[in-house]
Amino acid sequence: MKKKKTLLFFTLLLLMNISCSEFDNSQDIGIDAVSVADSISYPDLVSDSIIETTATIEKSDSLSTRKYIYLTIDDAPLNGSMYIDSIISSEKIKTSLFVVGNAIDGSSRFSRYYKMLQQNPNIEIYNHSYSHANNRYVDFYKNPELVLEDFDKNQSDFDITHKITRLPGRNLWQIGERKKNYNQTGATSADLLVKNGYKVFGWDVEWNYDAKDYMPKQTIDELVEEIEASYNSSRTFTANHVVLLMHDQMFAKVGEKNDLRELITKLKDNNYCFEYLSAYPE
């Protein structure tokens, strides 16, 4: 019995020495004494807290440096819609499409395309007006009330969930209290749209096309360089966020110059994170 008590006594002394040595070492390396003492009594609780704090810091750091790209495609649905749907489905990339209602009403084929695009889980649908200003932009924006009616018709007729718009023929921005490019016709219309609950998006970089054959003017490498330059020079509407404008009709005939999959691959290689405009920061 005495042997057992003696053994227990020395075991307790040994444990106390270990605890003290850990406590002393903690002062040398700058660890909080209370945290270390707690870790001896409640190792699971403290270690979980440390892991959670580290994960939070890493998440915060990654969010502050993340590069966001918004693929936005205007004038859908048109002859490029099937290709767009195919690539976006394959790549599973978040993509934003701005639709024009009179194209859907004017063609049974485009109506089918619209239903197809609606069912794509990687695509969000936004409002590009019903009439596309009938391609008479100056006249269209002379009457802001009619512009609002045009957008409202598109919104309701085609079950567009998000009140996100882009004005035909105008690179105008108004999101919350922030505005850009308001020194042009269409600014009053944009302001009225915002007062009625819409957000108005422009773009930071455009993949330009030739009006004769709708083929891109920039190569994919040139476009990626423009995106990088815009991002690095802070010329974007919001820092770390690049909104890219493309058009449906650019993808009616697809070749090496307008390979959407290659563009997506190169943007991934440049560490861009793809997002919907509905997630764009205010």
Side-chain angles (χ1 to χ4, degrees), residues 77-79 101-114:
L78 286 175
N79 291 321
N102 64 5
I104 302 169
D105 282 341
S107 166
S108 59
R109 179 161 57 91
F110 292 161
S111 179
R112 291 195 303 273
Y113 288 174
Y114 181 60

Side-chain angles (χ1 to χ4, degrees), residues 144-201:
E145 292 290 343
L146 290 181
V147 172
L148 176 61
E149 287 181 18
D150 199 62
F151 275 91
D152 281 345
K153 174 177 173 58
N154 208 41
Q155 192 80 17
S156 60
D157 285 3
F158 302 102
D159 300 318
I160 301 174
T161 303
H162 301 281
K163 297 194 78 172
I164 290 175
T165 66
R166 177 172 283 150
L167 297 183
R170 295 291 182 270
N171 186 7
L172 272 162
W173 294 79
Q174 185 168 348
I175 303 172
E177 298 299 318
R178 301 169 61 212
K179 300 179 180 180
K180 186 178 180 180
N181 298 341
Y182 258 57
N183 57 344
Q184 57 181 307
T185 59
T188 305
S189 298
D191 194 54
L192 184 59
L193 285 166
V194 171
K195 287 177 180 176
N196 282 270
Y198 291 98
K199 295 178 183 179
V200 178
F201 277 86

Side-chain angles (χ1 to χ4, degrees), residues 12 43 100 109 115 128 158 195 233 250:
L12 287 172
V100 177
R109 179 161 57 91
K115 291 176 183 177
H128 197 36
F158 302 102
K195 287 177 180 176
S233 65
M250 293 172 58

Side-chain angles (χ1 to χ4, degrees), residues 15 37 44 47 79 100 230 242 262:
L15 287 173
D44 293 339
S47 62
N79 291 321
V100 177
S230 182
V242 182
E262 184 181 349

